[in-house]
Amino acid sequence: MRRTLFSLLVLFSVGSAFATEKTFKTMHATDLAALMQAGAPLHLYDVNVESTRANVGIIPGSKLLSSSNNFNAAKELPTDKKSALVFYCANTQCTASHTAAERALHAGFQNVSVMVDGIYGWQKMGKPVEGVEKKTRAIEPKK
């Protein structure tokens, strides 16, 4: 009887740990476009490699994340842990955005999403992209 009770208690504890584990939400390009059109407050992060950014561009308003798995959350993400964060990478086969979203969750962010269609899905919808050169010009040079 004790062994059964102990087993159930352990099983319940393990199940509860998995049930409370935070995960990111997923959305499609149409969902992101609707949020942006509505003026929803969100922080959009491009997690693509330089060659993808150079060849395709980025979604207007995106911030360039330095790395999907090694970025500095304290420096590259907002200070408010309740901020809405949306990460995207190349396409539905790319998981760099998933890695970045998991990292944001581990840093304590609560409202984290991945736009799974990526920049290629965004572009396929006919949505605007901007060149990276516009984004890099906005950064002041080091003195």
Side-chain angles (χ1 to χ4, degrees), residues 8-57:
L8 287 173
L9 186 58
V10 168
L11 188 59
F12 176 74
S13 297
V14 170
S16 295
F18 288 120
T20 59
E21 186 174 318
K22 295 189 184 215
T23 186
F24 57 83
K25 297 171 268 192
T26 58
M27 67 173 67
H28 291 280
T30 53
D31 303 318
L32 177 59
L35 286 172
M36 292 172 73
Q37 179 70 29
L42 58 88
H43 298 268
L44 186 58
Y45 293 94
D46 180 292
V47 188
N48 286 307
V49 295
E50 293 300 320
S51 60
T52 301
R53 290 174 179 162
N55 290 329
V56 185

Short mmCIF file of all heavy atoms in Angstrom, two decimals, residues 8-57:
data_model
loop_
_atom_site.label_atom_id
_atom_site.label_comp_id
_atom_site.label_asym_id
_atom_site.label_seq_id
_atom_site.Cartn_x
_atom_site.Cartn_y
_atom_site.Cartn_z
N LEU A 8 2.24 6.76 -6.78
CA LEU A 8 1.26 7.73 -7.26
C LEU A 8 1.70 9.15 -6.95
O LEU A 8 1.53 10.05 -7.78
CB LEU A 8 -0.11 7.46 -6.64
CG LEU A 8 -0.85 6.23 -7.17
CD1 LEU A 8 -2.11 5.98 -6.35
CD2 LEU A 8 -1.20 6.42 -8.63
N LEU A 9 2.26 9.36 -5.79
CA LEU A 9 2.73 10.68 -5.41
C LEU A 9 3.86 11.14 -6.33
O LEU A 9 3.88 12.28 -6.80
CB LEU A 9 3.19 10.67 -3.95
CG LEU A 9 3.58 12.01 -3.35
CD1 LEU A 9 2.41 12.99 -3.44
CD2 LEU A 9 3.99 11.85 -1.90
N VAL A 10 4.80 10.26 -6.62
CA VAL A 10 5.90 10.58 -7.52
C VAL A 10 5.37 10.86 -8.93
O VAL A 10 5.75 11.84 -9.57
CB VAL A 10 6.95 9.45 -7.55
CG1 VAL A 10 7.95 9.64 -8.68
CG2 VAL A 10 7.67 9.37 -6.22
N LEU A 11 4.46 10.03 -9.39
CA LEU A 11 3.89 10.20 -10.72
C LEU A 11 3.14 11.53 -10.82
O LEU A 11 3.27 12.26 -11.79
CB LEU A 11 2.94 9.04 -11.03
CG LEU A 11 2.39 8.96 -12.45
CD1 LEU A 11 3.53 8.85 -13.45
CD2 LEU A 11 1.45 7.78 -12.57
N PHE A 12 2.39 11.89 -9.78
CA PHE A 12 1.67 13.15 -9.77
C PHE A 12 2.64 14.33 -9.78
O PHE A 12 2.45 15.30 -10.50
CB PHE A 12 0.75 13.23 -8.54
CG PHE A 12 0.05 14.56 -8.43
CD1 PHE A 12 -1.01 14.86 -9.26
CD2 PHE A 12 0.46 15.50 -7.50
CE1 PHE A 12 -1.66 16.08 -9.18
CE2 PHE A 12 -0.18 16.73 -7.40
CZ PHE A 12 -1.24 17.01 -8.24
N SER A 13 3.71 14.23 -9.02
CA SER A 13 4.70 15.31 -8.95
C SER A 13 5.38 15.51 -10.30
O SER A 13 5.56 16.63 -10.76
CB SER A 13 5.76 15.03 -7.90
OG SER A 13 5.17 14.97 -6.63
N VAL A 14 5.76 14.42 -10.95
CA VAL A 14 6.41 14.50 -12.25
C VAL A 14 5.43 15.05 -13.28
O VAL A 14 5.77 15.94 -14.06
CB VAL A 14 6.95 13.12 -12.68
CG1 VAL A 14 7.41 13.13 -14.13
CG2 VAL A 14 8.08 12.70 -11.76
N GLY A 15 4.20 14.58 -13.26
CA GLY A 15 3.19 15.07 -14.19
C GLY A 15 2.91 16.55 -13.98
O GLY A 15 2.76 17.31 -14.93
N SER A 16 2.88 17.00 -12.74
CA SER A 16 2.65 18.40 -12.46
C SER A 16 3.79 19.27 -12.95
O SER A 16 3.58 20.37 -13.44
CB SER A 16 2.47 18.62 -10.95
OG SER A 16 1.32 17.97 -10.51
N ALA A 17 5.01 18.76 -12.83
CA ALA A 17 6.17 19.52 -13.30
C ALA A 17 6.08 19.74 -14.80
O ALA A 17 6.36 20.82 -15.30
CB ALA A 17 7.46 18.79 -12.94
N PHE A 18 5.67 18.70 -15.53
CA PHE A 18 5.54 18.85 -16.98
C PHE A 18 4.37 19.75 -17.34
O PHE A 18 4.44 20.51 -18.28
CB PHE A 18 5.37 17.49 -17.66
CG PHE A 18 6.64 16.69 -17.68
CD1 PHE A 18 6.70 15.45 -17.06
CD2 PHE A 18 7.77 17.17 -18.31
CE1 PHE A 18 7.87 14.73 -17.08
CE2 PHE A 18 8.94 16.46 -18.34
CZ PHE A 18 8.99 15.22 -17.72
N ALA A 19 3.30 19.69 -16.59
CA ALA A 19 2.12 20.48 -16.88
C ALA A 19 2.37 21.98 -16.69
O ALA A 19 1.78 22.79 -17.36
CB ALA A 19 0.95 20.02 -16.02
N THR A 20 3.25 22.33 -15.75
CA THR A 20 3.50 23.74 -15.49
C THR A 20 4.67 24.30 -16.29
O THR A 20 4.95 25.46 -16.22
CB THR A 20 3.77 23.98 -13.98
OG1 THR A 20 4.89 23.20 -13.60
CG2 THR A 20 2.56 23.61 -13.15
N GLU A 21 5.36 23.44 -17.04
CA GLU A 21 6.48 23.92 -17.85
C GLU A 21 5.95 24.86 -18.92
O GLU A 21 5.01 24.56 -19.64
CB GLU A 21 7.18 22.73 -18.50
CG GLU A 21 8.43 23.12 -19.24
CD GLU A 21 9.17 21.91 -19.75
OE1 GLU A 21 9.27 20.91 -19.02
OE2 GLU A 21 9.65 21.98 -20.90
N LYS A 22 6.56 26.04 -19.02
CA LYS A 22 6.11 27.04 -19.98
C LYS A 22 6.62 26.69 -21.37
O LYS A 22 7.71 26.18 -21.53
CB LYS A 22 6.57 28.42 -19.57
CG LYS A 22 5.94 28.85 -18.28
CD LYS A 22 6.23 30.28 -17.98
CE LYS A 22 5.64 30.54 -16.62
NZ LYS A 22 5.09 31.75 -16.38
N THR A 23 5.80 27.02 -22.34
CA THR A 23 6.19 26.79 -23.71
C THR A 23 5.79 28.00 -24.55
O THR A 23 4.95 28.80 -24.13
CB THR A 23 5.54 25.50 -24.27
OG1 THR A 23 6.05 25.25 -25.58
CG2 THR A 23 4.04 25.58 -24.30
N PHE A 24 6.39 28.12 -25.69
CA PHE A 24 6.05 29.23 -26.56
C PHE A 24 4.83 28.89 -27.41
O PHE A 24 4.51 27.73 -27.62
CB PHE A 24 7.23 29.63 -27.45
CG PHE A 24 7.77 28.51 -28.31
CD1 PHE A 24 7.17 28.18 -29.52
CD2 PHE A 24 8.89 27.79 -27.91
CE1 PHE A 24 7.67 27.16 -30.31
CE2 PHE A 24 9.40 26.77 -28.69
CZ PHE A 24 8.78 26.46 -29.90
N LYS A 25 4.17 29.94 -27.89
CA LYS A 25 3.03 29.77 -28.79
C LYS A 25 3.55 29.81 -30.22
O LYS A 25 4.63 30.33 -30.48
CB LYS A 25 2.01 30.90 -28.58
CG LYS A 25 1.40 30.90 -27.18
CD LYS A 25 0.57 32.14 -26.96
CE LYS A 25 1.52 33.16 -26.35
NZ LYS A 25 0.98 34.34 -25.79
N THR A 26 2.77 29.27 -31.13
CA THR A 26 3.12 29.36 -32.54
C THR A 26 2.05 30.17 -33.27
O THR A 26 0.89 30.20 -32.86
CB THR A 26 3.25 27.97 -33.20
OG1 THR A 26 2.03 27.27 -33.06
CG2 THR A 26 4.39 27.18 -32.59
N MET A 27 2.49 30.82 -34.33
CA MET A 27 1.57 31.58 -35.18
C MET A 27 2.07 31.49 -36.61
O MET A 27 3.20 31.05 -36.85
CB MET A 27 1.47 33.04 -34.72
CG MET A 27 2.74 33.85 -34.90
SD MET A 27 2.56 35.61 -34.55
CE MET A 27 2.26 35.62 -32.81
N HIS A 28 1.21 31.90 -37.52
CA HIS A 28 1.58 31.93 -38.93
C HIS A 28 1.76 33.38 -39.38
O HIS A 28 1.43 34.32 -38.65
CB HIS A 28 0.52 31.22 -39.77
CG HIS A 28 0.51 29.74 -39.53
ND1 HIS A 28 1.42 28.89 -40.12
CD2 HIS A 28 -0.26 28.98 -38.75
CE1 HIS A 28 1.20 27.66 -39.71
NE2 HIS A 28 0.18 27.67 -38.87
N ALA A 29 2.25 33.53 -40.59
CA ALA A 29 2.49 34.87 -41.13
C ALA A 29 1.21 35.70 -41.14
O ALA A 29 1.24 36.89 -40.86
CB ALA A 29 3.09 34.76 -42.53
N THR A 30 0.08 35.07 -41.45
CA THR A 30 -1.20 35.80 -41.45
C THR A 30 -1.53 36.34 -40.06
O THR A 30 -2.04 37.46 -39.93
CB THR A 30 -2.35 34.91 -41.95
OG1 THR A 30 -2.36 33.71 -41.18
CG2 THR A 30 -2.21 34.59 -43.42
N ASP A 31 -1.23 35.55 -39.03
CA ASP A 31 -1.48 35.99 -37.65
C ASP A 31 -0.61 37.18 -37.28
O ASP A 31 -1.08 38.15 -36.69
CB ASP A 31 -1.22 34.84 -36.66
CG ASP A 31 -2.03 33.60 -36.96
OD1 ASP A 31 -3.23 33.74 -37.28
OD2 ASP A 31 -1.46 32.49 -36.87
N LEU A 32 0.67 37.09 -37.63
CA LEU A 32 1.60 38.19 -37.33
C LEU A 32 1.18 39.45 -38.08
O LEU A 32 1.18 40.54 -37.51
CB LEU A 32 3.03 37.80 -37.69
CG LEU A 32 4.08 38.90 -37.49
CD1 LEU A 32 4.12 39.38 -36.03
CD2 LEU A 32 5.45 38.40 -37.92
N ALA A 33 0.82 39.31 -39.35
CA ALA A 33 0.39 40.46 -40.14
C ALA A 33 -0.83 41.14 -39.50
O ALA A 33 -0.90 42.36 -39.42
CB ALA A 33 0.07 40.04 -41.57
N ALA A 34 -1.77 40.33 -39.02
CA ALA A 34 -2.97 40.88 -38.37
C ALA A 34 -2.61 41.63 -37.08
O ALA A 34 -3.15 42.71 -36.82
CB ALA A 34 -3.98 39.77 -38.09
N LEU A 35 -1.72 41.05 -36.29
CA LEU A 35 -1.28 41.71 -35.06
C LEU A 35 -0.59 43.04 -35.36
O LEU A 35 -0.84 44.05 -34.70
CB LEU A 35 -0.33 40.81 -34.27
CG LEU A 35 -0.95 39.62 -33.55
CD1 LEU A 35 0.15 38.71 -32.99
CD2 LEU A 35 -1.88 40.08 -32.46
N MET A 36 0.27 43.02 -36.36
CA MET A 36 0.99 44.24 -36.72
C MET A 36 0.02 45.29 -37.27
O MET A 36 0.13 46.48 -36.95
CB MET A 36 2.10 43.92 -37.73
CG MET A 36 3.22 43.09 -37.11
SD MET A 36 4.43 42.51 -38.32
CE MET A 36 5.29 44.05 -38.67
N GLN A 37 -0.93 44.86 -38.08
CA GLN A 37 -1.93 45.78 -38.64
C GLN A 37 -2.77 46.42 -37.54
O GLN A 37 -3.10 47.59 -37.61
CB GLN A 37 -2.83 45.02 -39.62
CG GLN A 37 -3.92 45.86 -40.25
CD GLN A 37 -3.37 46.86 -41.26
OE1 GLN A 37 -2.34 46.63 -41.87
NE2 GLN A 37 -4.04 47.99 -41.42
N ALA A 38 -3.06 45.64 -36.50
CA ALA A 38 -3.86 46.13 -35.38
C ALA A 38 -3.04 47.00 -34.43
O ALA A 38 -3.59 47.60 -33.50
CB ALA A 38 -4.47 44.95 -34.62
N GLY A 39 -1.74 47.06 -34.64
CA GLY A 39 -0.88 47.87 -33.78
C GLY A 39 -0.61 47.23 -32.43
O GLY A 39 -0.33 47.93 -31.45
N ALA A 40 -0.70 45.90 -32.37
CA ALA A 40 -0.45 45.19 -31.12
C ALA A 40 0.99 45.45 -30.67
O ALA A 40 1.92 45.42 -31.48
CB ALA A 40 -0.68 43.69 -31.30
N PRO A 41 1.18 45.72 -29.38
CA PRO A 41 2.55 45.94 -28.88
C PRO A 41 3.32 44.62 -28.84
O PRO A 41 2.96 43.71 -28.11
CB PRO A 41 2.34 46.51 -27.48
CG PRO A 41 0.99 45.98 -27.07
CD PRO A 41 0.19 45.83 -28.32
N LEU A 42 4.33 44.51 -29.68
CA LEU A 42 5.15 43.30 -29.70
C LEU A 42 6.57 43.64 -30.10
O LEU A 42 6.83 44.67 -30.71
CB LEU A 42 4.55 42.23 -30.62
CG LEU A 42 4.33 42.56 -32.10
CD1 LEU A 42 5.56 42.27 -32.92
CD2 LEU A 42 3.16 41.73 -32.61
N HIS A 43 7.47 42.76 -29.71
CA HIS A 43 8.88 42.88 -30.07
C HIS A 43 9.17 41.74 -31.03
O HIS A 43 9.04 40.57 -30.67
CB HIS A 43 9.77 42.77 -28.83
CG HIS A 43 9.52 43.87 -27.84
ND1 HIS A 43 10.22 45.05 -27.86
CD2 HIS A 43 8.63 43.97 -26.83
CE1 HIS A 43 9.79 45.83 -26.89
NE2 HIS A 43 8.81 45.20 -26.25
N LEU A 44 9.57 42.08 -32.25
CA LEU A 44 9.78 41.11 -33.31
C LEU A 44 11.27 40.90 -33.52
O LEU A 44 12.02 41.87 -33.68
CB LEU A 44 9.12 41.64 -34.59
CG LEU A 44 9.09 40.74 -35.81
CD1 LEU A 44 8.38 39.42 -35.52
CD2 LEU A 44 8.40 41.47 -36.97
N TYR A 45 11.70 39.63 -33.52
CA TYR A 45 13.12 39.29 -33.63
C TYR A 45 13.40 38.37 -34.80
O TYR A 45 12.82 37.30 -34.91
CB TYR A 45 13.61 38.63 -32.33
CG TYR A 45 13.60 39.58 -31.17
CD1 TYR A 45 12.51 39.65 -30.32
CD2 TYR A 45 14.67 40.44 -30.95
CE1 TYR A 45 12.48 40.54 -29.26
CE2 TYR A 45 14.65 41.35 -29.91
CZ TYR A 45 13.55 41.39 -29.07
OH TYR A 45 13.53 42.29 -28.04
N ASP A 46 14.32 38.80 -35.65
CA ASP A 46 14.81 37.99 -36.76
C ASP A 46 15.99 37.18 -36.24
O ASP A 46 16.95 37.73 -35.71
CB ASP A 46 15.25 38.91 -37.90
CG ASP A 46 15.78 38.15 -39.09
OD1 ASP A 46 16.86 37.53 -38.97
OD2 ASP A 46 15.14 38.19 -40.14
N VAL A 47 15.91 35.87 -36.41
CA VAL A 47 16.94 34.96 -35.90
C VAL A 47 17.74 34.34 -37.05
O VAL A 47 18.50 33.42 -36.86
CB VAL A 47 16.29 33.86 -35.01
CG1 VAL A 47 17.33 33.02 -34.31
CG2 VAL A 47 15.35 34.46 -33.99
N ASN A 48 17.56 34.85 -38.26
CA ASN A 48 18.21 34.27 -39.43
C ASN A 48 19.71 34.54 -39.46
O ASN A 48 20.20 35.47 -38.82
CB ASN A 48 17.57 34.82 -40.71
CG ASN A 48 16.21 34.21 -40.94
OD1 ASN A 48 16.08 32.99 -40.95
ND2 ASN A 48 15.20 35.04 -41.11
N VAL A 49 20.40 33.75 -40.26
CA VAL A 49 21.83 33.96 -40.49
C VAL A 49 22.00 35.13 -41.46
O VAL A 49 21.06 35.52 -42.16
CB VAL A 49 22.52 32.69 -41.04
CG1 VAL A 49 22.48 31.57 -40.00
CG2 VAL A 49 21.88 32.23 -42.33
N GLU A 50 23.18 35.69 -41.49
CA GLU A 50 23.45 36.87 -42.31
C GLU A 50 23.11 36.66 -43.78
O GLU A 50 22.58 37.57 -44.44
CB GLU A 50 24.91 37.28 -42.17
CG GLU A 50 25.27 37.80 -40.79
CD GLU A 50 24.46 39.03 -40.37
OE1 GLU A 50 24.22 39.91 -41.22
OE2 GLU A 50 24.08 39.11 -39.19
N SER A 51 23.41 35.48 -44.33
CA SER A 51 23.15 35.25 -45.75
C SER A 51 21.66 35.28 -46.06
O SER A 51 21.25 35.81 -47.10
CB SER A 51 23.78 33.93 -46.21
OG SER A 51 23.24 32.85 -45.48
N THR A 52 20.82 34.75 -45.19
CA THR A 52 19.37 34.79 -45.41
C THR A 52 18.89 36.23 -45.32
O THR A 52 18.09 36.68 -46.15
CB THR A 52 18.63 33.92 -44.37
OG1 THR A 52 19.09 32.57 -44.48
CG2 THR A 52 17.12 33.96 -44.59
N ARG A 53 19.38 36.97 -44.34
CA ARG A 53 19.00 38.38 -44.22
C ARG A 53 19.41 39.16 -45.46
O ARG A 53 18.66 40.00 -45.94
CB ARG A 53 19.67 38.99 -42.98
CG ARG A 53 19.11 38.46 -41.67
CD ARG A 53 19.91 38.98 -40.50
NE ARG A 53 19.37 38.50 -39.22
CZ ARG A 53 20.05 38.51 -38.10
NH1 ARG A 53 21.28 39.00 -38.05
NH2 ARG A 53 19.50 38.05 -36.99
N ALA A 54 20.60 38.89 -45.98
CA ALA A 54 21.10 39.63 -47.14
C ALA A 54 20.31 39.26 -48.40
O ALA A 54 20.01 40.13 -49.23
CB ALA A 54 22.58 39.33 -47.35
N ASN A 55 19.94 37.99 -48.56
CA ASN A 55 19.24 37.53 -49.76
C ASN A 55 17.75 37.85 -49.76
O ASN A 55 17.18 38.12 -50.81
CB ASN A 55 19.43 36.03 -49.95
CG ASN A 55 20.85 35.67 -50.34
OD1 ASN A 55 21.53 36.44 -50.99
ND2 ASN A 55 21.29 34.51 -49.91
N VAL A 56 17.11 37.78 -48.62
CA VAL A 56 15.65 37.92 -48.55
C VAL A 56 15.23 39.22 -47.89
O VAL A 56 14.25 39.83 -48.27
CB VAL A 56 15.01 36.72 -47.80
CG1 VAL A 56 13.50 36.80 -47.85
CG2 VAL A 56 15.49 35.41 -48.37
N GLY A 57 15.97 39.65 -46.90
CA GLY A 57 15.60 40.83 -46.12
C GLY A 57 15.02 40.42 -44.78
O GLY A 57 15.13 39.26 -44.37
#
